[in-house]
Protein backbone atom coordinates (compact mmCIF):
# COMPACT_ATOMS: atom_id res chain seq x y z
CA UNK A 1 0.00 0.00 0.00
CA UNK A 2 1.27 3.44 -0.90
CA UNK A 3 1.29 5.44 2.29
CA UNK A 4 3.00 8.60 1.16
CA UNK A 5 4.28 10.54 -1.81
CA UNK A 6 7.76 12.00 -2.09
CA UNK A 7 7.67 15.47 -3.60
CA UNK A 8 10.99 16.80 -4.89
CA UNK A 9 11.95 20.30 -5.78
CA UNK A 10 14.79 21.51 -7.95
CA UNK A 11 16.61 24.82 -7.92
CA UNK A 12 19.59 23.36 -6.10
CA UNK A 13 21.34 26.70 -6.01
CA UNK A 14 18.89 27.92 -3.38
CA UNK A 15 20.60 29.07 -0.26
CA UNK A 16 19.91 30.43 3.23
CA UNK A 17 16.96 32.74 3.51
CA UNK A 18 15.89 32.08 -0.07
CA UNK A 19 15.64 28.40 0.62
CA UNK A 20 13.51 28.94 3.73
CA UNK A 21 11.19 31.21 1.80
CA UNK A 22 11.03 28.78 -1.12
CA UNK A 23 10.06 25.91 1.17
CA UNK A 24 7.56 27.96 3.13
CA UNK A 25 5.77 29.05 -0.05
CA UNK A 26 5.89 25.58 -1.51
CA UNK A 27 4.28 24.07 1.59
CA UNK A 28 1.62 26.76 1.57
CA UNK A 29 0.90 26.23 -2.14
CA UNK A 30 0.79 22.45 -1.75
CA UNK A 31 -1.65 22.76 1.16
CA UNK A 32 -3.82 24.95 -0.97
CA UNK A 33 -3.69 22.53 -3.85
CA UNK A 34 -4.73 19.70 -1.53
CA UNK A 35 -7.62 21.41 0.30
CA UNK A 36 -9.95 18.66 -0.86
CA UNK A 37 -8.15 16.23 1.44
CA UNK A 38 -7.68 17.72 4.91
CA UNK A 39 -6.35 14.36 6.12
CA UNK A 40 -3.17 14.78 4.06
CA UNK A 41 -0.11 15.67 6.10
CA UNK A 42 2.87 17.44 4.53
CA UNK A 43 6.26 17.04 6.20
CA UNK A 44 9.68 18.20 5.25
CA UNK A 45 12.11 15.30 4.94
CA UNK A 46 15.64 16.49 4.21
CA UNK A 47 15.63 18.42 0.97
CA UNK A 48 12.26 17.13 -0.17
CA UNK A 49 8.77 16.61 1.21
CA UNK A 50 6.87 13.55 2.36
CA UNK A 51 3.16 13.86 1.73
CA UNK A 52 1.35 11.40 4.01
CA UNK A 53 -1.94 10.38 2.46
CA UNK A 54 -3.80 9.10 5.55
CA UNK A 55 -6.35 7.53 3.24
CA UNK A 56 -6.53 10.22 0.52
CA UNK A 57 -6.53 8.83 -3.06
CA UNK A 58 -2.95 8.69 -4.30
CA UNK A 59 -3.64 9.27 -8.01
CA UNK A 60 -5.73 12.37 -7.42
CA UNK A 61 -3.20 13.79 -4.97
CA UNK A 62 -0.37 13.25 -7.44
CA UNK A 63 -2.34 14.78 -10.27
CA UNK A 64 -2.95 17.85 -8.16
CA UNK A 65 0.68 18.15 -7.02
CA UNK A 66 1.93 17.85 -10.60
CA UNK A 67 0.48 21.32 -11.11
CA UNK A 68 2.18 22.99 -8.17
CA UNK A 69 4.93 25.28 -9.44
CA UNK A 70 8.25 24.51 -7.79
CA UNK A 71 7.88 20.74 -7.63
CA UNK A 72 9.94 18.75 -10.14
CA UNK A 73 8.99 15.13 -9.50
CA UNK A 74 6.77 12.89 -7.42
CA UNK A 75 6.97 9.29 -6.31
CA UNK A 76 4.28 7.19 -4.68
CA UNK A 77 6.13 5.31 -1.96
CA UNK A 78 5.67 2.14 0.04
CA UNK A 79 7.40 1.96 3.39
CA UNK A 80 8.96 -1.28 4.63
CA UNK A 81 10.56 -2.34 7.90
CA UNK A 82 14.32 -2.28 7.96
CA UNK A 83 14.83 -5.91 7.05
CA UNK A 84 15.41 -7.50 3.68
CA UNK A 85 12.33 -9.73 3.70
CA UNK A 86 9.97 -6.89 4.22
CA UNK A 87 11.75 -4.79 1.58
CA UNK A 88 11.56 -7.78 -0.77
CA UNK A 89 7.80 -7.97 -0.30
CA UNK A 90 7.40 -4.33 -1.29
CA UNK A 91 9.59 -4.83 -4.36
CA UNK A 92 7.47 -7.83 -5.37
CA UNK A 93 4.32 -5.75 -5.00
CA UNK A 94 5.78 -3.11 -7.30
CA UNK A 95 6.73 -5.69 -9.92
CA UNK A 96 3.26 -7.16 -9.66
CA UNK A 97 1.49 -3.84 -10.16
CA UNK A 98 3.77 -2.99 -13.10
CA UNK A 99 2.77 -6.31 -14.64
CA UNK A 100 -0.93 -5.64 -14.06
CA UNK A 101 -0.69 -2.21 -15.63
CA UNK A 102 1.38 -3.23 -18.64
CA UNK A 103 -0.05 -6.69 -19.24
CA UNK A 104 3.41 -8.24 -19.09
CA UNK A 105 6.49 -8.51 -16.92
CA UNK A 106 9.81 -7.16 -18.21
CA UNK A 107 13.26 -6.29 -17.00
CA UNK A 108 14.14 -4.36 -13.88
CA UNK A 109 17.03 -3.11 -11.87
CA UNK A 110 17.38 -2.25 -8.22
CA UNK A 111 18.85 1.10 -7.28
CA UNK A 112 19.70 1.22 -3.62
CA UNK A 113 20.58 4.29 -1.62
CA UNK A 114 21.63 4.09 2.00
CA UNK A 115 21.04 7.27 3.96
CA UNK A 116 21.28 5.37 7.25
CA UNK A 117 24.97 4.62 7.61
CA UNK A 118 24.35 2.38 10.61
CA UNK A 119 22.56 -0.14 8.47
CA UNK A 120 24.96 -3.12 8.38
CA UNK A 121 25.04 -3.62 4.60
CA UNK A 122 26.38 -1.28 1.93
CA UNK A 123 24.16 -0.25 -0.98
CA UNK A 124 25.66 -2.75 -3.47
CA UNK A 125 25.33 -5.49 -0.86
CA UNK A 126 21.67 -4.65 -0.30
CA UNK A 127 21.06 -4.69 -4.05
CA UNK A 128 22.77 -8.03 -4.46
CA UNK A 129 21.00 -9.77 -1.58
CA UNK A 130 17.67 -8.25 -2.42
CA UNK A 131 18.01 -9.39 -6.03
CA UNK A 132 18.70 -12.91 -4.82
CA UNK A 133 15.59 -12.78 -2.64
CA UNK A 134 13.33 -11.29 -5.31
CA UNK A 135 14.21 -13.28 -8.43
CA UNK A 136 13.06 -16.74 -7.28
CA UNK A 137 9.63 -15.26 -6.65
CA UNK A 138 9.47 -13.23 -9.85
CA UNK A 139 10.40 -15.74 -12.48
CA UNK A 140 9.02 -13.84 -15.48
CA UNK A 141 11.30 -10.91 -14.70
CA UNK A 142 14.86 -10.37 -15.92
CA UNK A 143 17.49 -8.12 -14.41
CA UNK A 144 18.85 -5.51 -16.79
CA UNK A 145 21.09 -2.88 -15.20
CA UNK A 146 21.58 -0.86 -18.39
CA UNK A 147 18.18 -0.46 -19.97
CA UNK A 148 15.51 -1.78 -17.62
CA UNK A 149 11.77 -1.42 -18.17
CA UNK A 150 11.41 -0.59 -14.51
CA UNK A 151 13.85 0.87 -12.03
CA UNK A 152 12.99 0.00 -8.46
CA UNK A 153 14.40 2.51 -6.01
CA UNK A 154 15.13 1.40 -2.46
CA UNK A 155 16.16 3.93 0.15
CA UNK A 156 17.43 2.73 3.50
CA UNK A 157 16.50 5.38 6.04
CA UNK A 158 16.81 5.61 9.82
CA UNK A 159 13.57 3.94 10.82
CA UNK A 160 12.24 2.44 7.61
CA UNK A 161 13.04 1.60 4.02
CA UNK A 162 11.27 3.34 1.16
CA UNK A 163 10.46 1.52 -2.06
CA UNK A 164 9.20 3.17 -5.21
CA UNK A 165 9.22 2.58 -8.94
CA UNK A 166 8.40 5.89 -10.54
CA UNK A 167 9.56 9.44 -10.68
CA UNK A 168 6.58 11.25 -12.13
CA UNK A 169 7.49 14.64 -13.59
CA UNK A 170 5.84 17.72 -12.09
CA UNK A 171 5.62 21.16 -13.64
CA UNK A 172 8.86 22.62 -12.20
CA UNK A 173 9.61 26.32 -11.85
CA UNK A 174 9.39 28.37 -8.65
CA UNK A 175 6.56 28.55 -6.10
CA UNK A 176 4.08 31.31 -6.85
CA UNK A 177 4.80 34.25 -4.58
CA UNK A 178 8.58 33.84 -4.74
CA UNK A 179 9.08 36.51 -7.40
CA UNK A 180 6.66 39.26 -6.41
CA UNK A 181 3.52 40.56 -8.09
CA UNK A 182 3.24 41.41 -11.78
CA UNK A 183 0.46 42.98 -13.86
CA UNK A 184 -0.51 40.71 -16.77
CA UNK A 185 -2.18 42.43 -19.69
CA UNK A 186 -4.78 39.77 -20.29
CA UNK A 187 -6.79 39.83 -23.50
CA UNK A 188 -9.19 37.10 -24.55
CA UNK A 189 -6.65 35.79 -27.06
CA UNK A 190 -4.41 32.75 -27.11
CA UNK A 191 -1.11 34.38 -26.20
CA UNK A 192 -1.51 36.44 -23.06
CA UNK A 193 -2.88 33.61 -20.85
CA UNK A 194 0.11 31.49 -21.89
CA UNK A 195 2.48 34.38 -21.15
CA UNK A 196 0.89 34.75 -17.70
CA UNK A 197 1.22 31.04 -17.04
CA UNK A 198 4.92 31.16 -17.90
CA UNK A 199 5.50 34.10 -15.59
CA UNK A 200 3.63 32.27 -12.81
CA UNK A 201 5.85 29.28 -13.40
CA UNK A 202 8.79 31.48 -12.46
CA UNK A 203 7.19 32.38 -9.15
CA UNK A 204 5.20 35.47 -10.12
CA UNK A 205 1.84 36.23 -8.54
CA UNK A 206 -0.43 37.67 -11.22
CA UNK A 207 -2.75 40.62 -11.16
CA UNK A 208 -4.44 40.51 -14.55
CA UNK A 209 -5.48 43.76 -16.23
CA UNK A 210 -8.12 43.63 -18.93
CA UNK A 211 -9.31 46.47 -21.14
CA UNK A 212 -12.97 46.21 -21.88
CA UNK A 213 -14.95 48.46 -24.22
CA UNK A 214 -18.59 47.89 -23.40
CA UNK A 215 -20.88 48.15 -25.40
CA UNK A 216 -18.50 47.69 -28.34
CA UNK A 217 -17.35 44.51 -26.69
CA UNK A 218 -19.93 42.29 -25.05
CA UNK A 219 -20.49 40.87 -21.59
CA UNK A 220 -19.63 37.50 -23.04
CA UNK A 221 -16.19 38.76 -24.08
CA UNK A 222 -15.64 39.82 -20.49
CA UNK A 223 -16.89 36.48 -19.21
CA UNK A 224 -14.31 34.79 -21.41
CA UNK A 225 -11.52 36.77 -19.78
CA UNK A 226 -12.86 35.92 -16.34
CA UNK A 227 -12.83 32.26 -17.34
CA UNK A 228 -9.20 32.60 -18.40
CA UNK A 229 -8.30 34.27 -15.11
CA UNK A 230 -10.01 31.38 -13.32
CA UNK A 231 -7.96 28.80 -15.23
CA UNK A 232 -4.77 30.67 -14.35
CA UNK A 233 -5.88 30.74 -10.71
CA UNK A 234 -6.41 26.97 -10.82
CA UNK A 235 -2.69 26.73 -11.51
CA UNK A 236 -1.34 29.57 -9.45
CA UNK A 237 -3.70 29.55 -6.46
CA UNK A 238 -4.89 33.13 -6.71
CA UNK A 239 -5.24 35.70 -9.48
CA UNK A 240 -6.76 39.17 -9.22
CA UNK A 241 -8.43 40.61 -12.29
CA UNK A 242 -8.71 44.38 -12.77
CA UNK A 243 -11.16 45.36 -15.48
CA UNK A 244 -10.53 48.75 -17.08
CA UNK A 245 -13.46 50.47 -18.78
CA UNK A 246 -11.71 51.53 -21.93
CA UNK A 247 -14.55 52.83 -24.09
CA UNK A 248 -13.90 56.51 -23.42
CA UNK A 249 -10.24 56.11 -24.32
CA UNK A 250 -10.98 54.32 -27.57
CA UNK A 251 -13.58 56.85 -28.59
CA UNK A 252 -11.20 59.70 -27.79
CA UNK A 253 -8.41 58.12 -29.82
CA UNK A 254 -10.70 57.73 -32.78
CA UNK A 255 -11.71 61.35 -32.60
CA UNK A 256 -8.33 62.93 -31.93
CA UNK A 257 -5.71 60.77 -33.67
CA UNK A 258 -4.73 59.68 -37.14
CA UNK A 259 -6.47 56.45 -38.02
CA UNK A 260 -3.31 54.63 -39.14
CA UNK A 261 -1.73 55.19 -35.73
CA UNK A 262 -4.83 54.15 -33.81
CA UNK A 263 -3.53 50.76 -32.69
CA UNK A 264 -0.19 52.17 -31.59
CA UNK A 265 -1.82 54.87 -29.52
CA UNK A 266 -4.35 52.48 -28.06
CA UNK A 267 -1.48 50.26 -26.93
CA UNK A 268 0.37 53.22 -25.46
CA UNK A 269 -2.76 54.14 -23.53
CA UNK A 270 -3.11 50.58 -22.28
CA UNK A 271 0.46 50.64 -21.02
CA UNK A 272 0.05 54.04 -19.36
CA UNK A 273 -3.02 52.81 -17.53
CA UNK A 274 -1.30 49.54 -16.58
CA UNK A 275 1.68 51.56 -15.36
CA UNK A 276 -0.57 53.61 -13.08
CA UNK A 277 -2.32 50.48 -11.77
CA UNK A 278 1.12 49.00 -11.10
CA UNK A 279 2.09 52.12 -9.16
CA UNK A 280 -1.02 51.98 -6.99
CA UNK A 281 -0.89 48.21 -6.48
CA UNK A 282 2.88 48.15 -6.11
CA UNK A 283 3.40 45.68 -8.92
CA UNK A 284 7.03 45.17 -9.89
CA UNK A 285 6.61 44.65 -13.63
CA UNK A 286 4.10 44.15 -16.44
CA UNK A 287 3.72 41.09 -18.66
CA UNK A 288 2.25 40.75 -22.15
CA UNK A 289 1.67 38.00 -24.71
CA UNK A 290 3.62 39.79 -27.42
CA UNK A 291 5.65 37.68 -29.84
CA UNK A 292 8.04 39.24 -32.30
CA UNK A 293 6.60 39.69 -35.76
CA UNK A 294 3.32 37.97 -35.03
CA UNK A 295 1.12 40.91 -36.00
CA UNK A 296 1.63 44.47 -37.20
CA UNK A 297 1.87 45.93 -33.72
CA UNK A 298 4.60 43.48 -32.73
CA UNK A 299 7.51 44.62 -34.88
CA UNK A 300 10.52 45.87 -32.92
CA UNK A 301 9.89 49.44 -34.07
CA UNK A 302 6.34 49.19 -32.82
CA UNK A 303 7.31 47.59 -29.52
CA UNK A 304 9.80 50.39 -28.96
CA UNK A 305 7.25 53.09 -29.66
CA UNK A 306 4.70 51.46 -27.38
CA UNK A 307 7.20 50.64 -24.65
CA UNK A 308 8.37 54.25 -24.41
CA UNK A 309 5.49 55.29 -22.15
CA UNK A 310 6.61 53.22 -19.17
CA UNK A 311 9.77 52.63 -17.18
CA UNK A 312 8.55 49.37 -15.72
CA UNK A 313 10.19 46.16 -16.88
CA UNK A 314 7.90 44.39 -19.34
CA UNK A 315 8.07 40.62 -19.28
CA UNK A 316 7.38 39.06 -22.67
CA UNK A 317 7.79 35.35 -22.12
CA UNK A 318 6.59 34.55 -25.65
CA UNK A 319 8.73 37.04 -27.52
CA UNK A 320 10.68 34.32 -29.35
CA UNK A 321 8.02 31.62 -29.52
CA UNK A 322 6.35 30.41 -32.69
CA UNK A 323 2.58 30.40 -32.80
CA UNK A 324 2.36 26.59 -33.09
CA UNK A 325 4.35 26.21 -29.89
CA UNK A 326 2.20 28.78 -28.10
CA UNK A 327 -0.90 26.90 -29.19
CA UNK A 328 0.53 23.63 -27.96
CA UNK A 329 1.25 25.22 -24.58
CA UNK A 330 -2.24 26.75 -24.46
CA UNK A 331 -3.75 23.31 -24.95
CA UNK A 332 -1.53 21.82 -22.31
CA UNK A 333 -2.44 24.39 -19.67
CA UNK A 334 -6.14 24.34 -20.58
CA UNK A 335 -6.71 27.89 -21.86
CA UNK A 336 -6.93 27.13 -25.59
CA UNK A 337 -10.58 26.10 -25.78
CA UNK A 338 -11.64 29.27 -24.00
CA UNK A 339 -9.28 31.53 -25.97
CA UNK A 340 -10.66 30.47 -29.34
CA UNK A 341 -14.26 31.33 -28.48
CA UNK A 342 -15.23 33.92 -31.07
CA UNK A 343 -16.08 36.99 -28.97
CA UNK A 344 -14.66 40.29 -30.12
CA UNK A 345 -11.76 41.98 -28.34
CA UNK A 346 -11.36 45.73 -27.91
CA UNK A 347 -8.37 45.59 -30.26
CA UNK A 348 -10.41 44.24 -33.09
CA UNK A 349 -13.25 46.75 -33.14
CA UNK A 350 -11.50 49.86 -34.39
CA UNK A 351 -8.92 48.26 -36.62
CA UNK A 352 -7.68 50.82 -39.13
CA UNK A 353 -7.66 49.93 -42.82
CA UNK A 354 -3.89 50.44 -43.08
CA UNK A 355 -2.26 50.13 -39.68
CA UNK A 356 1.37 51.30 -39.57
CA UNK A 357 3.76 48.42 -39.02
CA UNK A 358 6.68 50.65 -38.10
CA UNK A 359 5.24 53.61 -36.21
CA UNK A 360 7.94 56.08 -35.17
CA UNK A 361 7.99 57.37 -31.62
CA UNK A 362 7.90 61.04 -32.71
CA UNK A 363 4.86 60.38 -34.90
CA UNK A 364 3.02 58.73 -32.05
CA UNK A 365 3.82 61.59 -29.70
CA UNK A 366 2.73 64.06 -32.33
CA UNK A 367 -0.54 62.22 -32.92
CA UNK A 368 -1.34 62.25 -29.20
CA UNK A 369 -1.14 66.00 -28.83
CA UNK A 370 -4.87 66.48 -28.77
CA UNK A 371 -5.48 63.68 -26.32
CA UNK A 372 -6.14 64.40 -22.65
CA UNK A 373 -3.81 61.63 -21.57
CA UNK A 374 -3.63 62.36 -17.85
CA UNK A 375 -7.39 62.76 -17.49
CA UNK A 376 -8.17 59.58 -19.39
CA UNK A 377 -5.67 57.52 -17.39
CA UNK A 378 -6.94 58.93 -14.12
CA UNK A 379 -10.60 58.18 -14.86
CA UNK A 380 -9.86 54.65 -16.05
CA UNK A 381 -7.88 53.81 -12.95
CA UNK A 382 -10.42 55.41 -10.62
CA UNK A 383 -13.19 53.28 -12.12
CA UNK A 384 -11.32 50.03 -12.01
CA UNK A 385 -13.33 46.94 -11.14
CA UNK A 386 -11.48 44.18 -9.38
CA UNK A 387 -12.35 40.53 -8.84
CA UNK A 388 -10.35 37.80 -7.16
CA UNK A 389 -10.13 34.25 -8.39
CA UNK A 390 -8.90 31.35 -6.31
CA UNK A 391 -8.20 27.78 -7.35
CA UNK A 392 -11.39 25.76 -7.68
CA UNK A 393 -11.75 22.53 -5.79
CA UNK A 394 -11.17 19.51 -7.96
CA UNK A 395 -8.82 21.37 -10.34
P1 LIG B 1 -3.34 37.76 -27.40
O1 LIG B 1 -3.53 36.43 -28.02
O2 LIG B 1 -2.72 37.70 -26.05
O3 LIG B 1 -4.57 38.62 -27.47
P2 LIG B 1 -2.39 38.86 -29.81
O4 LIG B 1 -1.46 38.03 -30.59
O5 LIG B 1 -3.82 38.91 -30.20
O6 LIG B 1 -2.24 38.46 -28.28
P3 LIG B 1 -2.38 41.70 -29.70
O7 LIG B 1 -3.83 41.71 -29.85
O8 LIG B 1 -1.54 42.54 -30.58
O9 LIG B 1 -1.74 40.28 -29.83
O10 LIG B 1 -2.02 42.06 -28.19
C1 LIG B 1 -0.71 42.06 -27.74
C2 LIG B 1 -0.73 42.00 -26.23
O11 LIG B 1 -1.39 43.15 -25.69
C3 LIG B 1 -1.55 40.83 -25.71
O12 LIG B 1 -0.80 39.65 -25.65
C4 LIG B 1 -1.96 41.32 -24.35
O13 LIG B 1 -0.91 41.14 -23.42
C5 LIG B 1 -2.18 42.80 -24.58
N1 LIG B 1 -3.61 43.08 -24.87
C6 LIG B 1 -4.22 43.15 -26.05
N2 LIG B 1 -5.54 43.42 -25.91
C7 LIG B 1 -5.78 43.51 -24.59
C8 LIG B 1 -6.94 43.77 -23.79
N3 LIG B 1 -8.14 43.97 -24.31
N4 LIG B 1 -6.78 43.79 -22.45
C9 LIG B 1 -5.59 43.56 -21.89
N5 LIG B 1 -4.46 43.32 -22.59
C10 LIG B 1 -4.55 43.29 -23.91
MG1 LIG C 1 -5.32 39.84 -29.07
Amino acid sequence: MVDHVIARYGEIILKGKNRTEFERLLIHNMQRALVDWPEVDIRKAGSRFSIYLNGAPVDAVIERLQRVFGLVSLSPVQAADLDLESIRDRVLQLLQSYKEQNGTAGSFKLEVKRANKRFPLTSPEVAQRLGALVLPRAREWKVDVHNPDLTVYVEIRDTEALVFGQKIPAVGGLPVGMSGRVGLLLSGGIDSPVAGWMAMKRGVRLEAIHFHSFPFTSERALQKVEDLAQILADWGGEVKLHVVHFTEVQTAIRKACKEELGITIMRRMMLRIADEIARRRRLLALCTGESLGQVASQTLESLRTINAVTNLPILRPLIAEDKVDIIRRARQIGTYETSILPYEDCCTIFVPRNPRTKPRLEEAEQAEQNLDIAGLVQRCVDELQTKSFTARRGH
Side-chain angles (χ1 to χ4, degrees):
M1 268 291 284
V2 171
D3 78 331
H4 75 278
V5 173
I6 293 174
R8 301 178 192 82
Y9 51 91
E11 308 295 338
I12 43 176
I13 50 164
L14 284 173
K15 294 208 187 76
K17 242 177 76 187
N18 258 353
R19 178 179 208 104
T20 317
E21 176 68 354
F22 184 102
E23 289 168 347
R24 188 187 67 78
L25 282 167
L26 199 48
I27 291 176
H28 179 258
N29 295 351
M30 285 193 286
Q31 279 168 342
R32 242 184 135 127
L34 300 175
V35 282
D36 289 346
W37 303 285
E39 65 273 33
V40 168
D41 187 15
I42 301 174
R43 288 192 224 151
K44 202 164 121 50
S47 56
R48 61 192 196 191
F49 295 100
S50 294
I51 319 284
Y52 290 91
L53 295 166
N54 296 321
V58 60
D59 291 343
V61 165
I62 286 181
E63 210 176 287
R64 203 63 194 79
L65 290 175
Q66 277 183 289
R67 297 162 63 99
V68 174
F69 295 115
L71 294 178
V72 293
S73 74
L74 301 157
S75 296
V77 170
Q78 310 198 34
D81 293 339
L82 276 182
D83 63 73
L84 291 180
E85 278 74 25
S86 103
I87 299 173
R88 173 200 63 196
D89 292 343
R90 297 288 179 269
V91 175
L92 287 170
Q93 278 170 11
L94 263 189
L95 297 184
Q96 183 60 28
S97 62
Y98 177 95
K99 194 177 140 191
E100 279 162 18
Q101 268 169 28
N102 294 275
T104 166
S107 58
F108 76 103
K109 81 165 172 182
L110 290 168
E111 203 165 296
V112 179
K113 215 161 88 183
R114 188 177 58 134
N116 168 3
K117 298 298 176 202
R118 280 166 306 162
F119 193 72
L121 302 172
T122 64
S123 301
E125 285 169 351
V126 174
Q128 208 179 19
R129 295 215 195 168
L130 207 50
L133 286 173
V134 167
L135 280 169
R137 295 176 186 230
R139 296 206 172 273
E140 319 102 307
W141 287 84
K142 285 195 318 265
V143 172
D144 180 347
V145 291
H146 298 298
N147 195 16
D149 298 317
L150 175 66
T151 301
V152 177
Y153 301 88
V154 175
E155 289 187 10
I156 309 290
R157 308 194 56 92
D158 285 345
T159 56
E160 59 186 2
L162 304 181
V163 181
F164 54 93
Q166 303 178 68
K167 288 187 178 172
I168 301 165
V171 63
L174 299 174
V176 170
M178 189 83 189
S179 306
R181 284 177 301 129
V182 165
L184 168 69
L185 276 73
L186 180 64
S187 72
I190 294 171
D191 302 324
S192 44
V194 176
W197 184 89
M198 292 180 77
M200 264 195 313
K201 182 164 184 278
R202 292 310 296 172
V204 159
R205 188 173 294 293
L206 294 179
E207 299 209 359
I209 301 170
H210 176 67
F211 298 88
H212 182 58
S213 296
F214 191 78
F216 304 118
T217 54
S218 64
E219 283 301 325
R220 286 197 308 181
L222 184 56
Q223 182 60 48
K224 175 176 160 180
V225 172
E226 292 186 4
D227 292 346
L228 290 170
Q230 177 63 64
I231 296 169
L232 291 175
D234 291 336
W235 281 94
E238 188 193 349
V239 171
K240 278 198 165 50
L241 171 65
H242 305 290
V243 176
V244 178
H245 297 284
F246 201 51
T247 318
E248 189 195 351
V249 177
Q250 285 199 301
T251 317
I253 293 173
R254 198 146 67 147
K255 249 191 236 147
C257 310
K258 266 201 203 148
E259 186 187 305
E260 58 183 29
L261 286 170
I263 297 271
T264 307
I265 293 170
M266 183 185 76
R267 293 248 176 269
R268 281 163 62 89
M269 288 306 292
M270 283 184 178
L271 267 194
R272 287 185 175 109
I273 293 163
D275 181 278
E276 176 60 14
I277 294 171
R279 198 183 63 78
R280 295 195 191 182
R281 300 278 318 150
R282 283 190 259 123
L283 310 176
L284 295 172
L286 298 173
C287 177
T288 74
E290 286 157 322
S291 164
L292 199 55
Q294 199 186 84
V295 291
S297 59
Q298 296 175 26
T299 62
L300 273 182
E301 290 85 353
S302 173
L303 288 181
R304 171 175 177 269
T305 300
I306 293 165
N307 211 146
V309 299
T310 176
N311 287 319
L312 285 174
I314 300 185
L315 312 182
R316 297 184 174 92
L318 306 182
I319 197 69
E321 295 281 350
D322 293 339
K323 193 77 186 189
V324 284
D325 296 322
I326 300 173
I327 288 175
R328 190 176 313 125
R329 184 52 69 80
R331 286 187 196 278
Q332 177 207 335
I333 68 180
T335 52
Y336 184 75
E337 297 302 326
T338 305
S339 286
I340 59 171
L341 294 174
Y343 313 126
E344 66 297 327
D345 180 50
C346 72
C347 301
T348 52
I349 50 174
F350 294 132
V351 179
R353 280 177 299 258
N354 295 306
R356 291 285 300 278
T357 54
K358 299 184 175 178
R360 293 210 327 273
L361 181 55
E362 306 72 43
E363 289 178 290
E365 284 168 352
Q366 178 74 30
E368 283 170 351
Q369 275 185 348
N370 296 323
L371 212 55
D372 170 23
I373 293 172
L376 288 167
V377 170
Q378 172 92 37
R379 283 192 292 284
C380 278
V381 179
D382 287 345
E383 285 163 24
L384 213 56
Q385 274 174 339
T386 299
K387 257 190 174 180
S388 282
F389 296 86
T390 50
R392 286 171 290 186
R393 285 169 174 260
H395 277 75

